[in-house]
Amino acid sequence: MILDKYNNTFNEFITKYEEIHINPWHSIQKEKLMKKKNELLTTMDVTDVYSFTYFMKYLIKLLCGTKDTHTIFDMTSRLPINFKIIENEVLINYPTNLKGNTLISINDIDIKTILNELDKVVSYGTLGKKQFELEKALFNELLLFSIPQFRNTNELIFKMKSPNNEIITKIFKKNEQYQESFNMNEYLYGNNNGTFKIVNNTLIYNHRSVQQEYESTIKKSIEKLNKIDLTSINKIIIDLRGNLGGNSALNKPLINFLSNHKDKELLTLTDRRIFSAGRYALIDLINLGSITIGEGIGTPLNCYGNSNRFTLNKYYTFVVSEMYFDPTRKIEIKTKEEFKKIDKSLLEDIIFKPNYFVTQTKEDFINNKDTILDFALNQI
């Protein structure tokens, strides 16, 4: 059973999706999606925002496949806790007094079971994106209370184990408001986007976001760099980690600067969070001859994108891809008519693999050691 307001919202979303997306049924035919919808409704009732969250995310994952993780149901209620998946363990990243503890269960259900359930409703096109989306799902209150194991409970009991095997529990109530919160922007950008430093004849530049709010910061930092004598610099490291995208035009000042310093060795640091316009920066850096170090990124290099955000029924926010991009072949498709003409063999996923795969170890994470940057500074 589904309440009319949720069914109407779903139908309105499908209408908008078909209008906006240049190839809406690339992963599943409409008739099959509707069949899946009806099958899902035999297993659950959609009567509140929690169950509607599961309902929408489950069906949107079917819509997206691996090539469109820009299309999302964008509703989140964050718990004051955050995680990082390392070496198949879910480690606490926040609060800091619990950092390094291992999450072992929620409401006495093994964390691997929870991750398997969440995997049914998080969309991803790469293994890196899967990890990042699961990390985010574990502190999304709307999503956690939506999965079958927790639909009929009003609290979540997180059970954690410390490095010395002490068991710690933390309880979160349904729909509770919290004064403390995890700073997602700081986690992504480190509060140093658009900054740089020089260490032992190496220039390290942080290009962790091209959101519009950073336009002035990026331009001013590049202007400052252009005034510095870099004769003694023999290596430039671009830290792209955490760059979820934004305005790809804001990559240009950095790329123009680097084009004037092709005599320097160029290294780029990557991780699972790089997405959207962040991958455009990555392609530009590779084209300049950069060596890449770190993890795989959060998207195939070719995919649907250019997010169109809208709200339905005054409350429910969605994002739909309206274009198709392949920066490796300089393909940019804006209309359904253009898309019909493309050679479909060109649509096969292009997955980025760094020249040197380096990822943070559990020990380094606990000790706040930057494994990827250290490798770039000391091993290359």
Side-chain angles (χ1 to χ4, degrees):
M1 188 271 288
I2 181 171
L3 293 181
D4 285 345
K5 67 176 181 178
Y6 296 121
N7 197 45
N8 291 340
T9 301
F10 169 79
N11 289 332
E12 288 176 38
F13 163 73
I14 291 298
T15 298
K16 291 279 287 185
Y17 174 77
E18 287 185 299
E19 290 174 359
I20 295 168
H21 205 288
I22 63 167
N23 186 29
W25 305 108
H26 61 92
S27 180
I28 187 172
Q29 292 301 307
K30 186 175 182 178
E31 295 77 13
K32 187 172 181 180
L33 180 75
M34 294 307 176
K35 183 179 179 180
K36 290 288 186 181
K37 172 198 170 188
N38 293 333
E39 289 174 358
L40 181 60
L41 289 173
T42 65
T43 68
M44 65 178 294
D45 292 329
V46 181
T47 57
D48 58 20
V49 69
Y50 294 97
S51 52
F52 185 59
T53 295
Y54 187 95
F55 174 79
M56 285 306 316
K57 285 183 171 290
Y58 180 91
L59 294 173
I60 284 177
K61 178 168 183 170
L62 295 176
L63 275 179
C64 286
T66 60
K67 299 197 69 63
D68 181 13
T69 49
H70 284 75
T71 294
I72 58 173
F73 176 56
D74 195 18
M75 298 287 287
T76 301
S77 175
R78 291 176 182 165
L79 297 172
I81 195 166
N82 179 260
F83 306 91
K84 188 166 184 182
I85 298 174
I86 299 177
E87 299 170 7
N88 295 317
E89 289 189 58
V90 179
L91 302 179
I92 313 302
N93 183 45
Y94 177 89
T96 53
N97 66 308
L98 296 176
K99 184 171 181 176
N101 288 350
T102 301
L103 180 62
I104 56 177
S105 67
I106 303 176
N107 291 11
D108 290 325
I109 299 173
D110 185 83
I111 192 58
K112 289 184 174 63
T113 301
I114 303 303
L115 291 175
N116 287 336
E117 190 63 49
L118 289 170
D119 191 19
K120 298 175 183 177
V121 288
V122 298
S123 300
Y124 52 85
T126 66
L127 292 177
K129 180 69 168 174
K130 174 182 177 179
Q131 283 190 307
F132 184 44
E133 289 302 317
L134 288 174
E135 290 167 354
K136 291 193 297 178
L138 283 169
F139 72 107
N140 183 351
E141 185 246 10
L142 278 179
L143 189 52
L144 284 175
F145 279 111
S146 81
I147 65 175
Q149 292 87 342
F150 304 140
R151 281 178 196 157
N152 297 317
T153 186
N154 289 312
E155 66 179 19
L156 300 173
I157 304 172
F158 286 66
K159 187 178 290 185
M160 297 158 275
K161 184 170 66 174
S162 72
N164 60 8
N165 292 320
E166 177 187 2
I167 299 298
I168 301 162
T169 59
K170 198 167 180 65
I171 299 174
F172 299 103
K173 303 288 185 180
K174 192 172 188 177
N175 205 28
E176 187 167 334
Q177 302 299 310
Y178 298 94
Q179 291 185 340
E180 60 176 320
S181 64
F182 173 69
N183 189 328
M184 193 66 177
N185 282 354
E186 182 176 344
Y187 173 59
L188 291 170
Y189 318 136
N191 280 341
N192 61 2
N193 186 50
T195 65
F196 62 87
K197 61 182 178 181
I198 295 174
V199 179
N200 297 330
N201 298 325
T202 297
L203 169 66
I204 304 171
Y205 183 86
N206 297 298
H207 193 63
R208 296 188 168 193
S209 177
V210 285
Q211 295 293 322
Q212 198 61 44
E213 63 194 87
Y214 291 106
E215 179 177 14
S216 177
T217 299
I218 292 170
K219 289 181 177 179
K220 287 180 180 178
S221 68
I222 297 299
E223 287 174 6
K224 187 175 180 180
L225 271 175
N226 280 322
K227 295 176 182 178
I228 296 176
D229 182 359
L230 299 178
T231 304
S232 63
I233 298 299
N234 52 42
K235 181 190 297 184
I236 299 176
I237 296 175
I238 305 301
D239 194 345
L240 202 59
R241 294 174 295 175
N243 194 322
L244 292 178
N247 180 359
S248 60
L250 295 182
N251 293 321
K252 190 173 182 180
L254 173 64
I255 301 305
N256 288 344
F257 164 77
L258 293 172
S259 296
N260 294 323
H261 294 279
K262 291 183 177 180
D263 57 320
K264 319 293 185 188
E265 183 180 20
L266 182 60
L267 310 178
T268 300
L269 310 186
T270 64
D271 73 356
R272 67 190 74 169
R273 299 170 297 178
I274 294 172
F275 193 67
S276 195
R279 85 186 188 283
Y280 265 81
L282 176 60
I283 292 296
D284 287 340
L285 291 163
I286 291 172
N287 288 340
L288 285 174
S290 179
I291 295 170
T292 54
I293 302 166
E295 302 172 339
I297 64 172
T299 176
L301 295 175
N302 56 327
C303 63
Y304 299 97
N306 206 51
S307 303
N308 186 319
R309 180 180 297 271
F310 56 90
T311 301
L312 297 177
N313 297 323
K314 300 181 181 180
Y315 184 70
Y316 306 104
T317 303
F318 296 87
V319 179
V320 170
S321 298
E322 59 183 1
M323 295 175 64
Y324 178 82
F325 300 97
D326 181 351
T328 67
R329 301 185 181 99
K330 297 184 179 179
I331 295 173
E332 188 174 294
I333 301 176
K334 299 180 180 180
T335 68
K336 290 179 170 63
E337 290 70 27
E338 284 182 84
F339 191 85
K340 289 176 183 177
K341 299 174 184 177
I342 191 173
D343 180 350
K344 299 304 184 288
S345 67
L346 299 178
L347 301 179
E348 184 176 348
D349 290 347
I350 302 172
I351 303 298
F352 163 77
K353 294 182 180 180
N355 297 117
Y356 295 90
F357 180 82
V358 181
T359 190
Q360 195 173 38
T361 64
K362 179 179 178 180
E363 182 181 358
D364 286 352
F365 173 76
I366 292 172
N367 294 319
N368 294 311
K369 183 179 178 182
D370 192 335
T371 315
I372 297 173
L373 178 58
D374 285 354
F375 182 94
L377 286 169
N378 301 315
Q379 303 297 322
I380 301 296

